[in-house]
Amino acid sequence: MGDRHVWTAAPSVAERARSVLAAAWSCAVTAEGGREELFGAHTVTADGRVLLHVPEGSALLATAICAPRGEPSAVLEFADAAPVPVRRRIRTRLWMAGWFVVGEAHLEFQASRVVLRDASGAVVVGPDEFADAVPDPLATAEAALLTHLADAHPDAVERLTRLVEPESLHGAVRVQPLAVDRHGLTLRIERARGDGDVRLPFHAPADDVSQLTERMHVLLTQASSTACPRALQRQRADGDG
């Protein structure tokens, strides 16, 4: 691929954690009273604090009132699932350990430990780093963007595989868009046995959807000038037979 891409940055771990939090619709709460799955019940402040809106009779409210102040008494878990059907659909998990502070209309979660886990392992995010980080500007739009790319433009996804090293496509049976952020697009390459991910970085970061459209057009233009990988040529020929 040579010097085709000049921008190789990726989100920091803290930014990824904040992006998971920004896009999440549900969370699991484990506390002394047990485990609860909450849907559409939380909001996030600018510095990453989670506000839970729970019914008055919730066991979480009793736990928050009775727990010693400042001592870890609960864990919040957020699962980041790929919007496009792929193997290993859970891309990352975010855990936040800490305690609740009772507010007028919500429970405010004070995190003492933040951990992000993906396929490469778990990483602890420092509290100050987590508070200072900002979500990726495409985080809340990512699901719609990837679903549209996979459903309406499968030809574009196939064309983008021309930017992937041939060795990474050996044995490929399906390629799907897995993730996108301001720095690049990630493809999931599924094989008969196993799968892997390949990242296609943008030439410059995209701060909104219109800039993302331009970055994608650049990638597609570059792909159009590159020969179709032999692995996919063989796959297509086998399928036609």
Side-chain angles (χ1 to χ4, degrees), residues 213-225:
T213 300
E214 187 275 336
R215 306 301 186 262
M216 289 295 297
H217 283 164
V218 170
L219 286 181
L220 288 168
T221 298
Q222 295 170 348
S224 295
S225 62

Side-chain angles (χ1 to χ4, degrees), residues 14 17-19 21-22 43-51 96 108-111 114 125-135:
R18 290 295 303 272
S19 296
L21 197 57
T43 55
V44 184
T45 65
D47 59 357
R49 286 174 292 125
V50 178
L51 308 181
M96 303 174 68
E108 179 180 322
F109 190 73
Q110 303 281 349
V114 177
V125 184
D128 292 338
E129 184 182 7
F130 181 78
D132 292 340
V134 295

Side-chain angles (χ1 to χ4, degrees), residues 20 27 31 45 63 78 88 147 153 156-158 164 175 185 190 227:
V20 171
C27 71
T45 65
T63 299
F78 301 86
R88 296 188 297 114
T147 301
H153 302 287
V157 176
E158 181 176 340
V164 178
V175 179
L185 173 73
E190 297 181 349

